[in-house]
């Protein structure tokens, strides 16, 4: 499945929310989130923030900055939410983080698929998230007459990898709309960047 949105409209946050819901609902499932733009540390911090779900500093209205400061040794967490924060942080690192594999990737779609197939041999209970498809490249040789064709091959390869005969795993893939998508009426599949 694809989730498509314009740049800066929360595709990564959507993947995080789905991942956290899966990890909370299914205690044996693992989520592999492959990220091309944000570091694994940033994504994990966003996941912790979402999991905590509390306003940590009444005056700042920025949980991300408050958490970042906390891990840098500057503690601005409000006293009235301190116990909730500590409890949820401990729960997150005990129950969620070990099953939430956030991986920075620089390798090709072919290597990514090979890695997913390898992981699938170890465990069958996995959700695969990719953030995002337009960052993938292929090692495929032969006639690739442009980026459109390359992304078409990548999407076909990802679809084939998800089939029951290969991995049988659910894939949730973020995609970015072209820059000319300015309203909900413009959101059409033909306007996904590079027509992936």
């Amino acid at each position: 499945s694809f989730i498509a949105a314009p740049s800066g409209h929360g595709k990564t946050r959507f993947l995080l929310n789905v991942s956290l819901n899966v990890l909370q609902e299914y205690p044996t499932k693992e989520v592999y989130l492959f990220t091309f733009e944000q570091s694994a540390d940033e994504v994990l911090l966003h996941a912790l923030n979402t999991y905590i779900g509390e306003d940590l500093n009444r005056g700042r209205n920025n949980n991300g900055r408050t958490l970042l400061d906390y891990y840098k040794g500057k503690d601005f967490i409000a006293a009235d939410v301190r116990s909730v924060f500590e409890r949820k942080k401990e729960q997150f690192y005990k129950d969620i983080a070990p099953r939430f594999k956030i991986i920075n990737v620089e390798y090709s779609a072919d290597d990514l698929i090979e890695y997913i197939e390898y992981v699938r041999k170890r465990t069958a209970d996995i959700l695969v998230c990719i953030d995002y498809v337009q960052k993938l490249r292929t090692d495929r040789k032969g006639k690739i007459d442009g980026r459109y064709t390359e992304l078409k091959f990548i999407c076909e390869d990802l679809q084939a990898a998800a089939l029951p005969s290969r991995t049988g795993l659910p894939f949730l893939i973020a995609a970015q709309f072209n820059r000319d998508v300015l309203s909900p009426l413009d959101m059409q599949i033909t306007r996904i960047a590079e027509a992936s």
Side-chain angles (χ1 to χ4, degrees):
S1 297
F2 280 87
I3 173 70
S7 180
H9 279 72
K11 295 178 295 295
T12 303
R13 295 295 175 122
F14 181 84
L15 294 178
L16 278 177
N17 277 291
V18 169
S19 297
L20 288 173
N21 286 335
V22 165
L23 292 167
Q24 288 174 313
E25 189 70 26
Y26 303 98
T28 62
K29 191 173 277 291
E30 293 181 359
V31 174
Y32 281 75
L33 190 150
F34 298 95
T35 175
F36 288 86
E37 289 202 313
Q38 296 185 22
S39 73
D41 290 341
E42 287 175 304
V43 174
L44 187 65
L45 199 61
H46 291 309
L48 175 60
N49 181 20
T50 302
Y51 183 80
I52 290 171
E54 295 283 337
D55 182 7
L56 296 177
N57 186 319
R58 303 292 185 223
R60 291 178 89 181
N61 291 330
N62 187 339
N63 273 7
R65 170 54 59 195
T66 301
L67 281 172
L68 192 58
D69 286 343
Y70 172 83
Y71 283 106
K72 289 181 175 179
K74 303 174 201 166
D75 197 348
F76 298 108
I77 296 171
D80 61 328
V81 292
R82 166 75 53 193
S83 63
V84 172
F85 166 72
E86 293 295 343
R87 180 177 49 79
K88 286 190 171 183
K89 180 184 74 155
E90 184 178 328
Q91 261 181 324
F92 178 81
Y93 286 114
K94 178 180 170 238
D95 300 331
I96 302 296
R99 296 181 293 119
F100 195 12
K101 317 298 184 189
I102 305 167
I103 302 166
N104 288 97
V105 286
E106 301 261 338
Y107 34 84
S108 70
D110 309 275
D111 291 337
L112 179 64
I113 290 167
E114 187 177 325
Y115 179 76
I116 292 166
E117 288 176 333
Y118 170 78
V119 169
R120 169 62 177 85
K121 290 176 186 170
R122 186 179 57 83
T123 180
D125 217 3
I126 300 170
L127 167 64
V128 176
C129 297
I130 299 172
D131 189 23
Y132 60 96
V133 72
Q134 285 93 342
K135 292 289 185 176
L136 286 168
R137 300 279 179 223
T138 185
D139 294 333
R140 186 185 288 209
K141 305 293 185 235
K143 185 169 171 92
I144 297 179
D145 56 5
R147 185 69 177 134
Y148 173 86
T149 306
E150 183 179 23
L151 278 169
K152 178 180 178 249
F153 289 150
I154 289 168
C155 290
E156 288 172 354
D157 292 345
L158 288 169
Q159 181 183 13
L163 291 174
S165 60
R166 295 269 298 276
T167 67
L169 297 175
F171 282 59
L172 182 57
I173 304 168
Q176 190 164 307
F177 280 121
N178 291 327
R179 302 247 182 244
D180 64 344
V181 173
L182 302 174
S183 79
L185 296 175
D186 297 330
M187 293 182 186
Q188 301 167 13
I189 197 159
T190 56
R191 291 195 167 161
I192 292 176
E194 297 154 325
S196 58

